[in-house]
Amino acid sequence: MIPMPFEYDRAATLDEAVAKLAAANGRAKLLAGGHSLVPLMKLRLAEPAVLIDIARIPGLSGIREKDGRIEIGAGTVHHEVASSALLRKQCPVVADAAAAIGDAQVRNRGTLGGSLAHADPAADYPAAMLAVDADMHIRGPKGSRTVKATQFFRGLFTVDLAADEILVSVGFSPARASAYAKLYQRASHFAIVGAAAALDVSNGTIRGARIGVTGAGPYAVRLSHVEQALAGQRATKDVFAAAARNAGAELPHVNSDIHASAEYRRAMIAVFARRALEAAMGTR
């Protein structure tokens, strides 16, 4: 299909992009990579009156380490995230998630911010952001604000981001013992179930754990019961298997579609949560 007519505009700075969004009164969409937005426009599920191109805004992309924290600009493409030596060493779960997205074309054009703001229930990044307890840095007409990843994802294709706001970057502390494991659709490579795990381990004992799951329900969530079961335990395969065994029962709403039944997804949550935990220990 052909999209509805729209105006194209380009922002040279972040402030200019915010101003253009505000002037559009909710009728504009941001364009960076376009791999989430353009297909929706072709199906006329999205009909923006204005497209604001933010792909060339200086400083909106890149991966940086500062004061013991890692920051990734929202305009950073998936390939850059997946191939980052810094992330591979300091926070492999984020690089793992990026490497699992789509195909080479998508990874070289699609952006971190576009994926997170779109919040597809089967997207990979949301689980990773939950696992690293990321801060989402947002800019709008009223200034800047920060939202925790646990509060950012609110529902099906719904996030804490107003129509006149831009997701600028994400920030998080290093998590070396972390990994992402995914059961993917063969055609699209979207997640049927994806699990991201980050562990804080000292002398073989788990001091803390965070596990994000995507693909299973309407939006990505943390497996809090599994996290609690791991705290204070030895970091062994048997402990991981026991903690994750009933992980699927924790979620009240699980998707059922042509790709997998709800029952199958619940079973796979346990499997891929365990695999992510085992892989996370393998990164140390």
Side-chain angles (χ1 to χ4, degrees):
M1 293 181 65
I2 300 174
M4 290 291 289
F6 59 88
E7 295 181 9
Y8 171 84
D9 202 352
R10 180 183 293 175
T13 68
L14 188 56
D15 288 341
E16 184 180 353
V18 171
K20 289 180 182 294
L21 271 179
N25 294 317
R27 301 176 65 237
K29 290 288 187 181
L30 298 174
L31 177 67
H35 278 272
S36 296
L37 176 60
V38 172
L40 292 179
M41 291 176 63
K42 287 183 176 181
L43 293 172
R44 299 199 177 184
L45 296 175
E47 299 180 352
V50 183
L51 284 186
I52 302 171
D53 190 339
I54 60 172
R56 296 171 178 82
I57 294 179
L60 198 58
S61 63
I63 303 168
R64 303 168 283 272
E65 185 177 22
K66 183 179 179 181
D67 299 329
R69 300 268 294 175
I70 299 171
E71 183 177 283
I72 309 176
T76 308
V77 299
H78 310 318
H79 173 72
E80 187 176 350
V81 177
S83 59
S84 166
L86 173 63
L87 291 174
R88 284 290 171 193
K89 179 180 179 181
Q90 298 285 2
C91 204
V93 65
V94 178
D96 286 352
I101 295 173
D103 55 24
Q105 180 182 14
V106 171
R107 289 192 295 273
N108 278 278
R109 291 295 299 170
T111 64
L112 170 72
S115 178
L116 291 173
H118 184 56
D120 191 294
D124 300 289
Y125 279 133
M129 294 298 106
L130 291 172
V132 298
D133 195 28
D135 292 325
M136 324 297 281
H137 302 299
I138 297 166
R139 178 85 66 84
K142 297 180 181 179
S144 300
R145 64 188 181 98
T146 298
V147 179
K148 299 298 293 187
T150 50
Q151 302 301 316
F152 186 72
F153 304 106
R154 291 185 165 184
L156 182 67
F157 296 108
T158 304
V159 295
D160 184 2
L161 190 69
D164 58 358
E165 291 183 317
I166 299 175
L167 177 62
V168 177
S169 65
V170 300
F172 46 87
S173 298
R176 293 192 176 188
S178 64
Y180 182 62
K182 172 183 176 180
L183 174 64
Y184 60 87
Q185 301 173 22
R186 291 190 178 273
S188 68
H189 271 234
F190 274 113
I192 295 174
V193 169
L199 297 170
D200 177 11
V201 180
S202 177
N203 296 322
T205 298
I206 302 168
R207 303 300 182 189
R210 292 186 299 271
I211 306 167
V213 170
T214 189
Y219 60 101
V221 296
R222 291 258 298 265
L223 295 179
S224 58
H225 292 176
V226 178
E227 295 171 355
Q228 293 165 11
L230 289 169
Q233 301 295 313
R234 301 294 293 177
T236 67
K237 287 188 176 182
D238 288 343
V239 167
F240 295 150
R245 185 169 294 122
N246 296 315
E250 182 176 341
L251 303 186
H253 305 291
V254 175
N255 295 333
S256 181
D257 53 33
I258 62 172
H259 303 293
S261 66
E263 182 181 13
Y264 182 71
R265 276 191 167 91
R266 287 190 190 278
M268 291 301 100
I269 292 170
V271 171
F272 282 84
R274 173 180 55 79
R275 290 184 183 181
L277 288 165
E278 292 176 357
M281 285 309 300
T283 66
R284 291 182 65 83

